[in-house]
Amino acid sequence: MKSLLLIMVGAVFVNNFVLARFLGLCPFLGVSKKVETALGMGMAVTFVMVVASACTWLLQYLVLTPFNLDYLQTIAFILVIATLVQMVEMIVRKSSPVLYQSLGIFLPLITTNCAVLGLAVLNIQRNYSFVQSLVFAFGAALGFTLAMVLYAGLRERLTLCPVPRIFRGTPIELITAGLLALAFMGFAGLVPN
Amino acid sequence: MMAAVICLGSLGFVAALLLGMAARRFAVTVDPRQVALMDILAGANCGACGFPGCDAYARALVAGTAKPDLCRPGGAETLKRIATILGVAVTERPPQIAVVRCQGDLQHARLKYAYQGLQDCRAAQKLARGPKLCPAGCLGLGSCVQHCPFDALAIDSRGLAMVNRSRCTGCGLCVTICPRQVLALAPANETIHVLCNNRESSARVKSYCNAGCLGCRLCVRTAPESFVMDSFLAKVRYGYGEPSTMAEAIARCPHHCILNLDEQGNNQTLPTPHSVRERSTP
């Protein structure tokens, strides 16, 4: 139980996927204009990450390892994750139009996102058990959502600030992202890793 | 080698099979008219139609709960095509365009105080009703610029909002955003406008600004068909009057608030040269 908690805290704060591992920077910079959309993206990522890590874990230990096909890991994982996301999108669209409205547009964006793939690979590299990998996935997604929402909030305020002409737009946004990452460095050492 | 081919091949096959089955099992039937409408609508999701985005408007159109003439950015062309798809008769409405009804830059309009807060007109308006003495003048902090989905607005070198007439679609989003109603919609083919938004009497307007409408009625007396008074503010009766008498009225306006924007090119810009006016101390 304690180890699960450590994995969780480590994934959310210490080794935050976006701000410490620099995975998933594309949605981090792209879908963070408004807190609302950032939250929607975070929810979609949470969902995909948990489901994908469960599937890839099963694939690794039921197919790839028994047949000595570990070198196919990357391509097999991408294949499975992409299929999974596509299928989930179809099902959600049919069964819950409301959920599709709020979540649907984000799902194709994260089909083969590096954060999702990185999570699947990390699960295997660290020899996590099935439950551990699920907890790790949830923590990582939570950390991703946290970073997204914090950054979106900062960006919303930035739009109203008198920014010097040279820094307007992308430059100040990148600097802000850097400062946010620096702030998260304060968590380093909280969990031995 | 063989194992890898078989493994990946079967993985791909299973994935394709699953996706194929899911596509059939969970197929969502969409009205083909709705798909066609989505291609026609402007796609800017500006919300001028009153629906949250083009998708919602297309759905309402197919359901028959919305009028077909609400897509203002699309204009007459879109209206015609919507009508063809839905099979209904429509009447065209003349295209409109936004006009900034203010010329009170810092050369002409006086300030109440130096504003240093959030760079947003609505925030500035909440602080003692804005930093400009004139309660109806453009604050120039660009709330309209930020909200324009078509990049048709800018703050020009004078610090006033400026409409790019070739880009403006007349969606009217800026009109609702502006806290002082400086922006207004006018028929797109009209180029002569009164560029002031202050209805107060001449003494008041003079104390605020050297470029405001005084309510002197000179334009109304010169071209009675083309101009009307709204309190102490002259307004153009769009679509009435002779160009020659209107030109005379433009020439006689003491504060040069009536402008023919056609002469200024495509953008709404300051007439040059403005008669030199010394900025008197408030």
Side-chain angles (χ1 to χ4, degrees):
Chain A
M1 195 58 218
K2 196 183 157 198
S3 76
L4 288 184
L5 200 68
L6 280 180
I7 288 174
M8 183 92 166
V9 173
V12 176
F13 295 112
V14 185
N15 289 308
N16 189 291
F17 261 56
V18 181
L19 298 171
R21 288 185 202 282
F22 305 114
L23 289 167
L25 284 179
C26 171
F28 181 63
L29 294 172
V31 205
S32 57
K33 257 196 176 142
K34 285 183 188 159
V35 171
E36 202 180 309
T37 48
L39 207 60
M41 185 71 187
M43 269 153 57
V45 168
T46 309
F47 183 74
V48 171
M49 272 188 169
V50 173
V51 179
S53 75
C55 286
T56 50
W57 193 93
L58 291 174
L59 178 74
Q60 174 75 27
Y61 290 111
L62 295 184
V63 180
L64 296 184
T65 311
F67 294 108
N68 284 324
L69 292 171
D70 289 327
Y71 60 91
L72 287 179
Q73 196 187 47
T74 311
I75 189 166
F77 279 11
I78 287 181
L79 188 68
V80 169
I81 293 170
T83 313
L84 194 77
V85 174
Q86 279 295 312
M87 211 150 81
V88 167
E89 195 197 342
M90 285 180 202
I91 295 172
V92 169
R93 190 168 179 198
K94 177 77 179 177
S95 56
S96 168
V98 181
L99 194 65
Y100 181 73
Q101 284 266 319
S102 58
L103 216 72
I105 44 170
F106 302 112
L107 280 175
L109 292 178
I110 38 176
T111 322
T112 42
N113 189 285
C114 60
V116 181
L117 184 66
L119 172 88
V121 175
L122 276 174
N123 274 336
I124 309 303
Q125 272 178 10
R126 296 184 170 189
N127 292 320
Y128 280 153
S129 71
F130 187 67
V131 177
Q132 275 177 327
S133 70
L134 284 188
V135 171
F136 183 58
F138 188 67
L142 220 58
F144 179 87
T145 313
L146 181 71
M148 286 284 284
V149 170
L150 283 178
Y151 185 55
L154 287 174
R155 270 180 78 169
E156 276 190 359
R157 293 189 179 202
L158 259 184
T159 56
L160 294 173
C161 288
V163 179
R165 188 170 290 267
I166 301 176
F167 288 115
R168 259 175 228 171
T170 314
I172 193 70
E173 277 156 19
L174 288 177
I175 291 172
T176 313
L179 289 176
L180 191 58
L182 267 181
F184 265 69
M185 292 301 276
F187 290 115
L190 192 65
V191 173
N193 194 349
Chain B
M1 176 63 196
M2 228 23 229
V5 171
I6 293 171
C7 178
L8 265 189
S10 51
L11 255 181
F13 185 73
V14 170
L17 205 67
L18 278 175
L19 276 184
M21 269 162 41
R24 197 161 291 179
R25 174 92 175 68
F26 297 104
V28 178
T29 46
V30 182
D31 194 320
R33 289 181 299 169
Q34 190 182 323
V35 181
L37 284 172
M38 272 306 287
D39 291 337
I40 287 172
L41 293 174
N45 294 316
C46 66
C49 52
F51 290 91
C54 300
D55 199 22
Y57 181 46
R59 226 175 306 142
L61 276 175
V62 171
T65 52
K67 284 186 185 167
D69 59 349
L70 297 179
C71 185
R72 283 197 248 171
E77 183 57 31
T78 301
L79 175 58
K80 231 179 284 169
R81 292 166 75 183
I82 291 175
T84 337
I85 289 178
L86 294 178
V88 293
V90 287
T91 48
E92 280 181 30
R93 83 156 82 183
Q96 290 194 306
I97 217 167
V99 177
V100 181
R101 299 180 296 174
C102 180
Q103 297 193 78
D105 57 1
L106 290 181
Q107 300 279 314
H108 300 113
R110 282 173 279 284
L111 291 180
K112 220 182 285 176
Y113 58 89
Y115 179 72
Q116 293 184 331
L118 288 176
Q119 296 297 298
D120 186 277
C121 303
R122 292 163 298 175
Q125 176 72 8
K126 288 198 169 121
L127 193 61
R129 296 208 177 166
K132 268 188 182 160
L133 263 179
C134 173
C138 174
L139 293 175
L141 294 172
S143 291
C144 52
V145 179
Q146 277 187 16
H147 282 84
C148 181
F150 303 99
D151 268 342
L153 282 156
I155 300 296
D156 62 11
S157 53
R158 303 173 298 155
L160 295 177
M162 180 186 90
V163 177
N164 185 329
R165 291 172 67 84
S166 58
R167 282 194 186 164
C168 181
T169 61
C171 73
L173 219 57
C174 50
V175 179
T176 51
I177 291 294
C178 181
R180 303 179 129 200
Q181 286 82 45
V182 178
L183 287 139
L185 289 178
N189 54 348
E190 297 286 341
T191 55
I192 297 174
H193 304 282
V194 176
L195 296 191
C196 182
N197 185 32
N198 194 317
R199 285 187 183 78
E200 290 173 280
S201 63
S202 64
R204 285 265 179 96
V205 171
K206 268 183 192 161
S207 72
Y208 302 144
C209 179
N210 294 335
C213 174
L214 302 173
C216 66
R217 304 178 58 88
L218 256 178
C219 51
V220 178
R221 268 182 276 164
T222 313
E225 282 174 359
S226 314
F227 294 95
V228 283
M229 296 305 293
D230 174 7
S231 194
F232 288 96
L233 177 64
K235 293 209 160 166
V236 181
R237 290 178 75 204
Y238 294 114
Y240 292 92
E242 291 289 314
S244 55
T245 50
M246 282 180 96
E248 201 183 321
I250 292 173
R252 290 181 74 180
C253 179
H255 265 188
H256 303 279
C257 339
I258 311 173
L259 278 199
N260 190 342
L261 297 178
D262 219 15
E263 292 160 7
Q264 320 304 325
N266 224 353
N267 292 345
Q268 178 179 327
T269 44
L270 188 73
T272 44
H274 229 245
S275 57
V276 182
R277 301 178 187 112
E278 280 304 308
R279 191 178 159 197
S280 55
T281 45

